[in-house]
Amino acid sequence: MEITSEDPGLVARVAGLTKSYGSGSTAVTALDNVSVGIRKSEFTAIMGPSGSGKSTLMHIMAGLDSVTSGRVWIGSTDITGLDDTELTMIRRRRVGFVFQSFNLVPTLDIRGNIMLPFELDGRSPSDDDRRWIDELVASLGLAPRMSHRPHELSGGQQQRVAIARALGSRPDLVFADEPTGNLDSRTSREVLSLLATASSSYGQSIAMVTHDPIAASYADRIIFLADGKVIEDRGRSTASDISQYMLGMEQVA
Ligand code: ADP
Ligand code: MG
């Protein structure tokens, strides 16, 4: 896909992105000249075998890691040359995260966890923000849990809190790294449906890293990585088509 610096349909993009770790004979090229954009209001899955560069791509797009060469934009902001303070600001204002391990703050109750992005950004939620968060909390079934601590909730409930936290400030883009990796299959389906609904009904842009074909089948679009390169970029597919494709990849590799 061609990447231009002004494409309003893309919420994040990288162009000519290469990332190497280490140097000399021990250098590892995690990403090799990748150019790809994440489309606004879509639910995109980033798939590939372990070690293919999925997390590295996500971290760089989210401003959590630096590039070796190439450029990275969030919206129309080129974040490639920003310093840590500027990147922190961008992350707080424009990006939300959902992790495999939930990453809730154990000492805060559920309300405190959900409001944390506002706290960290030093702004109080508007009436409109509060209405949106109340709606999220209600639709996620978290209303009776607001004064509980994370350890009092099941894994699925904790991940719903993490999703409410990520969606609450309506960031430009939500990154999810294996969000169902620690959940049973029924709870996984609930969490995936929630992410899909956030994008189809509310226009939330979401990029989800996964190696699970069932998880990827909930996405509007699937980008496949292998050995640090994008090898396939396709629309919604069934879990069985995705599995077939991945099996084929392994045989070629
Ligand atoms: P994935 O998420 O697809 O499993 P990663 O992006 O984590 O892949 O890793 C891609 C490659 O980069 C792997 O070979 C991995 O070992 C290497 N890598 C990732 N992070 C580091 C690091 N901090 N130092 C050295 N090598 C790394
Ligand atoms: Mg990973």
Side-chain angles (χ1 to χ4, degrees), residues 19-22 28-31 48-57 59 65 177-178 209 225:
K19 174 69 178 180
S20 306
Y21 291 104
V28 174
T29 302
L31 294 171
S50 178
S52 56
K54 305 182 294 295
S55 295
T56 304
L57 178 60
H59 291 155
D65 203 353
D177 196 348
E178 304 277 5
V209 166
L225 290 182

Side-chain angles (χ1 to χ4, degrees), residues 55 58 83 153 183 207 229 243:
S55 295
M58 185 188 116
D83 65 28
L153 272 56
L183 302 177
K229 292 191 174 72
S243 300

Side-chain angles (χ1 to χ4, degrees), residues 43-200:
F43 182 15
T44 301
I46 301 171
M47 289 206 85
S50 178
S52 56
K54 305 182 294 295
S55 295
T56 304
L57 178 60
M58 185 188 116
H59 291 155
I60 288 177
M61 280 189 156
L64 288 166
D65 203 353
S66 62
V67 311
T68 302
S69 60
R71 291 176 77 182
V72 188
W73 292 264
I74 291 181
S76 56
T77 311
D78 184 343
I79 66 164
T80 324
L82 299 185
D83 65 28
D84 282 349
T85 316
E86 293 167 318
L87 283 174
T88 303
M89 198 82 92
I90 294 256
R91 276 200 301 275
R92 284 181 183 167
R93 301 244 158 107
R94 298 176 64 180
V95 179
F97 294 95
V98 179
F99 297 99
Q100 178 171 352
S101 48
F102 319 137
N103 288 26
L104 301 178
V105 179
T107 52
L108 291 178
D109 65 10
I110 300 315
R111 183 183 309 282
N113 271 281
I114 293 174
M115 301 315 277
L116 193 61
F118 290 94
E119 287 287 325
L120 289 173
D121 197 23
R123 70 186 157 112
S124 36
S126 64
D127 289 347
D128 198 34
D129 289 329
R130 289 190 187 281
R131 268 193 298 275
W132 166 238
I133 290 166
D134 287 346
E135 190 181 326
L136 274 173
V137 163
S139 73
L140 294 172
L142 293 170
R145 302 285 177 170
M146 293 302 271
S147 50
H148 291 214
R149 298 282 181 85
H151 75 266
E152 298 176 285
L153 272 56
S154 69
Q157 288 169 330
Q158 291 188 51
Q159 195 60 306
R160 277 186 262 155
V161 174
I163 290 172
R165 181 179 62 183
L167 298 175
S169 56
R170 285 176 283 199
D172 293 352
L173 178 57
V174 167
F175 287 103
D177 196 348
E178 304 277 5
T180 56
N182 282 329
L183 302 177
D184 62 61
S185 55
R186 191 178 65 87
T187 313
S188 293
R189 285 197 297 274
E190 282 172 14
V191 161
L192 291 162
S193 299
L194 270 168
L195 293 174
T197 305
S199 119
S200 62

